[in-house]
């Protein structure tokens, strides 16, 4: 079982930056894919960015050039650097781990709140 703990959320003014962290309970190389999702009140949870165990990175189109996903394997941690934040980025941000070991299993962190003021 994989435990995920997000941190780094908070209050920030529009145009500011935050870096979110997701610490996993095991090596991220044993996790096929890790990603960030976000959910605003009244909206569906949406995928933001992901990184696979081989280093392949993907972004949702709207955050390309604004957000950067990275990893520190020695710390079992994945980061989401968020720059030029906008009020519409306000959401609870969740870390997800996906493992494929004869079948796919997904794990979720508890979420961290990001609030961007105008």
């Amino acid at each position: 079982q994989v435990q995920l703990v997000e941190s780094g959320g908070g209050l920030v003014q529009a145009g500011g930056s935050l870096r979110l962290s997701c610490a996993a309970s095991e090596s991220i190389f044993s996790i096929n894919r890790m990603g960030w999702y976000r959910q605003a009140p009244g909206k569906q949870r949406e995928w933001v960015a992901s990184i696979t165990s081989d280093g392949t990175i993907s972004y949702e189109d709207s955050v390309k050039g604004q957000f950067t996903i990275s990893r520190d394997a020695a710390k079992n941690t994945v980061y989401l650097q968020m720059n030029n934040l906008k009020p519409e980025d306000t959401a609870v941000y969740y870390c997800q781990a996906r493992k494929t070991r004869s079948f796919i299993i997904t794990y979720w962190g508890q979420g961290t709140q990001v609030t961007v003021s105008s």
Side-chain angles (χ1 to χ4, degrees), residues 90-109:
T90 295
V92 177
Y93 284 71
Y94 296 91
C95 182
Q96 184 205 61
R98 187 172 71 193
K99 300 184 72 172
T100 303
R101 298 290 184 272
S102 76
F103 56 91
I104 297 173
I105 304 173
T106 58
Y107 305 89
W108 292 94

Side-chain angles (χ1 to χ4, degrees), residues 65-84:
Q66 182 189 0
F67 292 1
T68 303
I69 190 169
S70 62
R71 65 186 180 188
D72 185 340
K75 297 181 178 180
N76 294 347
T77 298
V78 172
Y79 303 96
L80 185 69
Q81 178 68 44
M82 305 185 295
N83 297 325
N84 191 29

Side-chain angles (χ1 to χ4, degrees), residues 19-64:
R19 188 177 73 160
L20 307 183
S21 298
C22 174
S25 61
E26 64 182 66
S27 172
I28 59 176
F29 290 114
S30 71
I31 301 170
N32 298 101
R33 176 184 178 272
M34 295 192 69
W36 288 96
Y37 293 72
R38 65 186 178 185
Q39 186 169 26
K43 298 181 68 176
Q44 295 181 248
R45 187 172 299 185
E46 66 174 350
W47 168 76
V48 175
S50 59
I51 184 167
T52 66
S53 58
D54 68 1
T56 301
I57 291 172
S58 299
Y59 296 102
E60 196 276 325
D61 286 344
S62 68
V63 306
K64 290 180 179 177

